[in-house]
Amino acid sequence: EAGVTQSPTHLIKTRGQQVTLRCSPISGHTSVYWYQQALGLGLQFLLWYDEGEERNRGNFPPRFSGRQFPNYSSELNVNALELEDSALYLCASSRRSGGNTDTQYFGPGTRLTVL
Amino acid sequence: QKEVEQNSGPLSVPEGAIASLNCTYSDRGSQSFFWYRQYSGKSPELIMSIYSNGDKEDGRFTAQLNKASQYVSLLIRDSQPSDSATYLCAVNPDLNTGFQKLVFGTGTRLLVSP
């Protein structure tokens, strides 16, 4: 079974630019989650998508947004990039059982550097 | 108070020893708990999940959960140098809302020396 895939692997952008990161979940998984892991910090929850809808959002400004497509793949968009957006962006997927026990499996991540 | 707390380490153990990693959480209503392993520069890899009080064993790994004390631990028996990594404790704190998110601790760095 193929795991979660993310693209691109690395990105270098400058302040003020916009970036789009992509994620494909494990086959059969309908939920996609986005996390940010800045250097020296823990993973911070960004967004949760399920069945094409945004279901939950972390404490991030509106310039972080995304969407989920009918095939359950997802995009994360970050507008007006700031230096502190430099981080590893991780996508995870899970089945959606309706409870609180859905196990999330992570992709390899996209490392974003903002200069 | 941080929602999920871990000692950052490093925790150093000799090869073959038992490594004990600990985690406390603040949301008493939390129901699901996970341990992930993260090698430097890589993404987190699921090691164990636990939902009920007590112990859960999987190979060399044992997760322990005590909801009354709001405490989760991971024991690694017969530690190997390849176990050297950062271990992340994650908690799903949203009970009965259906909202799925994981709150992570900052991780404990484990070093296993040959």
Side-chain angles (χ1 to χ4, degrees):
Chain A
E1 180 182 79
V4 178
T5 59
Q6 292 186 244
S7 63
T9 305
H10 295 89
L11 267 179
I12 299 176
K13 293 285 188 179
T14 57
R15 286 176 59 189
Q17 285 189 307
Q18 178 264 344
V19 69
T20 298
L21 312 180
R22 295 178 175 82
C23 171
S24 291
I26 292 170
S27 178
H29 287 190
T30 62
S31 280
V32 170
Y33 312 81
W34 289 95
Y35 292 86
Q36 181 197 66
Q37 188 175 33
L39 193 63
L41 299 178
L43 277 83
Q44 301 293 319
F45 169 75
L46 266 166
L47 291 159
W48 169 38
Y49 291 95
D50 183 67
E51 298 287 355
E53 299 287 331
E54 182 181 303
R55 303 293 186 181
N56 198 6
R57 182 182 182 84
N59 190 24
F60 281 84
R63 57 191 186 83
F64 287 84
S65 65
R67 56 179 172 169
Q68 186 179 33
F69 299 97
N71 66 354
Y72 304 116
S73 67
S74 176
E75 286 182 349
L76 174 68
N77 299 294
V78 187
N79 294 321
L81 285 167
E82 301 179 0
L83 296 179
E84 52 266 34
D85 296 333
S86 294
L88 180 66
Y89 288 84
L90 291 159
C91 172
S93 75
S94 77
R95 298 184 187 280
R96 186 74 183 103
S97 64
N100 288 73
T101 60
D102 299 331
T103 300
Q104 298 181 23
Y105 298 90
F106 284 85
T110 294
R111 182 154 309 273
L112 172 65
T113 301
V114 182
L115 302 176
Chain B
Q1 181 190 7
K2 290 183 181 177
E3 292 185 70
V4 179
E5 295 207 46
Q6 296 180 258
N7 188 317
S8 61
L11 172 65
S12 295
V13 299
E15 183 175 358
I18 296 175
S20 177
L21 305 163
N22 304 313
C23 170
T24 59
Y25 59 95
S26 61
D27 190 330
R28 186 168 290 277
S30 299
Q31 294 294 307
S32 48
F33 309 86
F34 305 87
W35 283 98
Y36 288 85
R37 176 174 64 196
Q38 187 174 28
Y39 293 110
S40 180
K42 302 296 185 182
S43 64
E45 172 192 8
L46 180 71
I47 299 294
M48 296 278 288
S49 59
I50 187 166
Y51 310 113
S52 304
N53 278 329
D55 296 358
K56 179 181 177 182
E57 186 174 319
D58 184 0
R60 296 187 295 115
F61 299 95
T62 299
Q64 299 174 319
L65 174 61
N66 184 327
K67 291 184 179 179
S69 301
Q70 295 174 241
Y71 177 90
V72 191
S73 66
L74 179 69
L75 300 178
I76 306 175
R77 290 181 298 281
D78 188 23
S79 295
Q80 301 297 309
S82 59
D83 294 327
S84 298
T86 296
Y87 288 79
L88 303 172
C89 174
V91 176
N92 188 336
D94 289 309
L95 176 65
N96 295 326
T97 64
F99 288 142
Q100 296 289 330
K101 72 173 188 182
L102 290 178
V103 179
F104 283 83
T106 52
T108 298
R109 187 173 167 219
L110 174 65
L111 297 175
V112 181
S113 54

